[in-house]
Amino acid sequence: MGLLEDKVVLVNGGSQGVGAGIVRAAVREGATVVLTGRRAEVGEKLAAETGARFVRADLSDATQARDSVVQVVDAYGRIDCLVNAAGLTSRGSLLDTTPELFDAHIATNLRAPFFAMQAAVADMTSREAPGTVVNIISNCAHGGPPHLAPYSTAKAGLAGLTRNAAHAHRWDRIRINGLNIGWTDTEGEDATQRAFHDAGDDWRDKAAAALPMGRLGQVDEIADFVVLLLSDRSGVVTGSVIDWDQTVLGGLD
């Protein structure tokens, strides 16, 4: 039996990067998986590869974020697990962030998880059934670098939402947790490094040399951790926002 046997799992932002890794891990562990993304060709390719179902959605639209859950419930009769993995990482500091950039970060990184969670928890409570939610947050929720001001703001909000919702629905046996992931090796991060930091082909090697464990975070490791949190094997844990990184906050040399 897999850790998610007979569970219906929605991975929002599941067509690439960490989300795609979670899709693969959840399918491997026996779940019926639905994934969302904006690019149909990418999502459909992953769906064909894994046996998951793809739903095209622009999660920056609150209605589409909510409807992603509605479509899962319509197709399978319920939702057992929700993962919010979509993320916008475009750069902006306090001084140069426009209202449009700020709103874009809030829409994708905070508002979308809020309304997806709203719909998922509504289904779970209506059935008086337990469920689990995992939000992919960021260690930037603790502050972040200057060039990620709107991103850090939205992710800090998501950390607060995770704890608030977990507290509100603990008696419903709905467990809601989050991961503050650090620097992770994804195709999206590769594009970001090249677009915003003039990185060359050796950027991963340079990054690894500057990190305590000698490597960037790996998607498959994060995905396995998320599956554990979604599953009954994580026990009663709820309201935890776990720092999944090699930086020890508060540690000083």
Side-chain angles (χ1 to χ4, degrees):
M1 292 276 294
L3 287 175
L4 298 176
E5 201 75 30
D6 298 325
K7 299 293 187 183
V8 177
V9 178
L10 170 61
V11 183
N12 270 335
S15 60
Q16 63 180 5
V18 171
I22 295 167
V23 168
R24 293 187 177 95
V27 169
R28 183 195 70 214
E29 294 299 328
T32 297
V33 179
V34 179
L35 66 116
T36 67
R38 288 182 296 180
R39 294 188 294 162
E41 68 279 8
V42 177
E44 289 169 357
K45 181 180 178 181
L46 180 61
E49 171 195 328
T50 60
R53 177 174 178 171
F54 173 69
V55 173
R56 188 177 182 277
D58 180 354
L59 299 170
S60 66
D61 180 340
T63 298
Q64 293 186 49
R66 188 167 49 233
D67 285 352
S68 66
V69 175
V70 173
Q71 291 190 57
V72 172
V73 175
D74 286 347
Y76 300 104
R78 70 185 196 277
I79 183 171
D80 300 307
C81 308
L82 169 66
V83 179
N84 287 305
L88 178 67
T89 59
S90 50
R91 276 32 181 170
S93 71
L94 177 64
L95 295 181
D96 63 21
T97 293
T98 64
E100 292 77 16
L101 179 61
F102 183 88
D103 289 347
H105 274 274
I106 294 298
T108 298
N109 295 330
L110 180 56
R111 190 175 66 193
F114 186 103
F115 287 104
M117 288 169 63
Q118 181 186 79
V121 171
D123 174 69
M124 294 167 187
T125 54
S126 70
R127 294 182 291 109
E128 298 183 348
T132 52
V133 177
V134 175
N135 292 319
I136 304 302
I137 312 177
S138 168
N139 62 2
C140 289
H142 295 292
H147 62 268
L148 286 176
Y151 176 78
S152 298
T153 299
K155 289 296 188 178
L158 184 54
L161 170 60
T162 298
R163 296 186 179 99
N164 179 276
H167 176 74
H169 294 284
R170 65 199 192 282
W171 290 104
D172 296 315
R173 296 176 295 149
I174 298 170
R175 300 189 298 108
I176 302 172
N177 297 289
L179 281 187
N180 280 334
I181 62 173
W183 203 359
T184 304
D185 187 359
T186 66
E187 59 267 39
E189 182 60 22
D190 180 62
T192 295
Q193 288 298 317
R194 295 175 188 276
F196 292 101
H197 303 289
D198 296 322
D201 293 341
D202 61 345
W203 75 266
R204 289 182 177 86
D205 293 334
K206 290 180 177 179
L211 293 169
M213 306 302 164
R215 60 191 178 96
L216 294 162
Q218 299 299 304
V219 166
D220 60 335
E221 296 168 343
I222 296 170
D224 286 347
F225 203 95
V226 170
V227 164
L228 177 65
L229 286 174
L230 291 174
S231 77
D232 294 339
R233 290 299 296 161
S234 55
V236 299
V237 63
T238 193
S240 292
V241 177
I242 301 164
D243 290 333
W244 198 98
D245 192 23
Q246 50 195 301
T247 299
V248 182
L249 293 170
L252 298 171
D253 291 326

